[in-house]
Amino acid sequence: MIAIISLLVVVFLSILITRIATIALTHTGLTRESAKFQARSAFSGAGFTTEESEMVVRHPVRRKIVMILILIGNAGIVAAISSLILTFVKQSTDSDLTIRVIFLVTGLLGLWLVASSKWADRWLSIIVERLLNRYTNLNVKDYASLLHLTGEYRLVELNIRKNDWVDGKKLSDIRLRDEGINVLGIRKSDGDYVGNPIGETRIEQKDTLVVYGRIEAIEKVDLRKKGVRGDIDHVKAVKKQKQEVFKEKKKEKKQTG
């Protein structure tokens, strides 16, 4: 039974560590979905085969986070396998074996429910973010305070993939600023960089957009695909941004009044 408890502890710590790494990576400019994928890939040793991995290895802080994840992940996997072996190789009766299996499955199911719970994710993220803000300095850019890169706002790099909503469109067509997102620059697939791009600049597959805005809005654009659904989501995002602007103006009016 001790071996099973040890295994559950290892699994719990694995979930916690990857969650901390995910939030740490978002502090360096990755979207949450990209950070989650890279953190889990590094921890599990699955390897990096995506374009996003290039943004990780080129960035000193991201590279350090990933290296730590790889080291901890290797040790965690070995410990988990060892605990699992000890659980079932020990001589025991059929009834003892059944109890162990039930206990193990129940424990893993409980951890899976906690890991997939939006409520648990939200509160764990808040706690981890506060600890990172208090004990670390992951906003390595010297303009972090100028752009208020805390809380809702982030400076993020977006890799443009095939069938992304912005792929093949001009900046003037997608009107990201109406969603509260500012495109500060575009790194083209051939290596050229377009700073402060104008409306006629066309976004193409394998380009990288440097954007600034609310992280929630940026993540939605990053996941948005071509088609009618994408256009509808854009209209909804524009409407939501107008509501946010109205709330901010109302709040500012109260403060000044």
Side-chain angles (χ1 to χ4, degrees):
M1 197 64 70
I2 295 178
I4 296 179
I5 295 175
S6 300
L7 176 61
L8 295 177
V9 170
V10 170
V11 173
F12 172 76
L13 290 177
S14 299
I15 295 172
L16 181 62
I17 289 169
T18 52
R19 184 62 50 78
I20 294 173
T22 297
I23 298 173
L25 287 170
T26 60
H27 273 259
T28 67
L30 288 179
T31 62
R32 185 172 180 82
E33 288 301 316
S34 296
K36 184 186 296 184
F37 178 80
Q38 296 298 326
R40 290 179 177 177
S41 296
F43 188 81
S44 63
F48 296 90
T49 57
T50 65
E51 295 176 2
E52 296 167 350
S53 62
E54 296 180 6
M55 295 192 301
V56 173
V57 297
R58 288 200 305 262
H59 194 289
V61 178
R62 294 173 189 167
R63 188 165 59 246
K64 185 179 294 185
I65 294 171
V66 166
M67 287 176 64
I68 294 172
L69 278 175
I70 292 173
L71 290 173
I72 297 176
N74 288 334
I77 292 172
V78 171
I81 294 175
S82 301
S83 299
L84 190 60
I85 292 174
L86 290 173
T87 300
F88 295 104
V89 299
K90 187 178 179 180
Q91 293 183 352
S92 58
T93 62
D94 291 340
S95 59
D96 288 339
L97 183 60
T98 302
I99 293 173
R100 290 179 187 178
V101 172
I102 294 174
F103 187 78
L104 177 61
V105 172
T106 303
L108 291 175
L109 180 61
L111 289 175
W112 179 80
L113 290 174
V114 171
S116 59
S117 169
K118 292 183 178 180
W119 181 85
D121 178 71
R122 181 172 63 253
W123 281 103
L124 182 58
S125 297
I126 291 173
I127 294 172
V128 172
E129 185 130 11
R130 287 178 179 175
L131 291 174
L132 287 174
N133 287 332
R134 182 172 181 178
Y135 297 108
T136 66
N137 183 23
L138 289 174
N139 286 326
V140 295
K141 308 171 184 68
D142 57 0
Y143 42 84
S145 59
L146 178 64
L147 293 176
H148 299 283
L149 299 183
T150 57
E152 297 179 310
Y153 290 91
R154 291 287 190 276
L155 186 67
V156 177
E157 292 178 324
L158 292 182
N159 277 346
I160 306 305
R161 302 172 295 269
K162 185 178 180 180
N163 293 324
D164 279 354
W165 182 70
V166 301
D167 179 26
K169 296 180 180 178
K170 296 179 181 180
L171 281 177
S172 57
D173 296 330
I174 59 177
R175 298 186 297 123
L176 287 181
R177 183 167 292 183
D178 292 347
E179 295 188 40
I181 301 172
N182 293 292
V183 180
L184 305 182
I186 302 176
R187 184 164 56 250
K188 307 298 290 183
S189 57
D190 59 5
D192 291 339
Y193 183 80
V194 181
N196 194 26
I198 60 176
E200 292 301 308
T201 304
R202 187 176 297 276
I203 303 171
E204 300 171 334
Q205 185 181 346
K206 294 185 179 181
D207 287 351
T208 300
L209 270 60
V210 181
V211 299
Y212 171 75
R214 285 188 175 89
I215 189 62
E216 181 183 359
I218 295 173
E219 287 179 344
K220 288 181 178 179
V221 171
D222 188 39
L223 297 174
R224 191 178 300 163
K225 300 300 179 183
K226 286 183 178 180
V228 177
R229 181 63 185 177
D231 296 335
I232 293 174
D233 289 341
H234 168 67
V235 173
K236 290 181 178 179
V238 171
K239 183 178 180 180
K240 183 176 181 180
Q241 174 61 16
K242 288 181 179 179
Q243 293 174 345
E244 292 293 336
V245 172
F246 177 76
K247 289 179 182 178
E248 289 179 358
K249 287 183 178 180
K250 189 175 181 180
K251 183 179 179 180
E252 182 179 354
K253 188 175 180 181
K254 286 183 178 181
Q255 291 175 345
T256 56

